[in-house]
Amino acid sequence: MKTTDKPVNKWTYKDFTWVLSLFGTAVGAGVLFLPIKAGSGGFWPLVILALIATPMIWLAHKGLARFVLSAKNPNSDITDTVEEHFGKTGANIITFAYLFRNLPNRSDLRCGYH
């Protein structure tokens, strides 16, 4: 790896969108419904489920981050990486599958059903 004396950009638009998407993931994971679940099911079942869910969420995000970082171009995002590994047709199929998998989740969160 070559080192250069160029200054590193500290904050870019891509960094901002990643922060927003990670925050959206956390909110979508149930942060808004946490008090409701604690009130209806009790505190200890919520703690047990949190202990079970935390490694699963961490491993899934770690795997996704490793996949994105596996691209040959260090400036690639997830769509570029999927296209690099699976080709244009595979990338389109995976993108539409991801869209239709997440579409019902977004609708129920907007309507308040959970």
Side-chain angles (χ1 to χ4, degrees):
M1 186 169 176
K2 228 165 66 167
T3 57
T4 61
D5 294 330
K6 291 182 181 180
V8 177
N9 290 339
K10 293 186 179 181
W11 190 257
T12 65
Y13 179 74
K14 190 179 267 189
D15 296 331
F16 180 70
T17 57
W18 268 100
V19 168
L20 285 181
S21 66
L22 289 174
F23 179 74
T25 302
V27 171
V31 172
L32 294 176
F33 295 99
L34 195 59
I36 295 169
K37 293 292 183 185
S40 65
F43 177 73
W44 291 112
L46 186 67
V47 169
I48 292 168
L49 286 175
L51 290 173
I52 293 170
T54 300
M56 294 178 359
I57 293 168
W58 182 77
L59 289 171
H61 279 83
K62 180 181 175 184
L64 182 61
R66 289 175 61 112
F67 176 71
V68 172
L69 292 172
S70 71
K72 292 178 183 171
N73 181 2
N75 294 324
S76 294
D77 60 6
I78 190 166
T79 53
D80 297 331
T81 306
V82 169
E83 187 173 338
E84 178 183 324
H85 288 288
F86 299 105
K88 187 75 168 166
T89 304
N92 287 335
I93 291 169
I94 290 171
T95 300
F96 282 115
Y98 182 78
L99 169 72
F100 289 117
R101 189 266 173 246
N102 285 316
L103 198 58
N105 291 348
R106 300 298 93 189
S107 298
D108 83 358
L109 288 176
R110 273 186 259 129
C111 295
Y113 302 119
H114 198 294

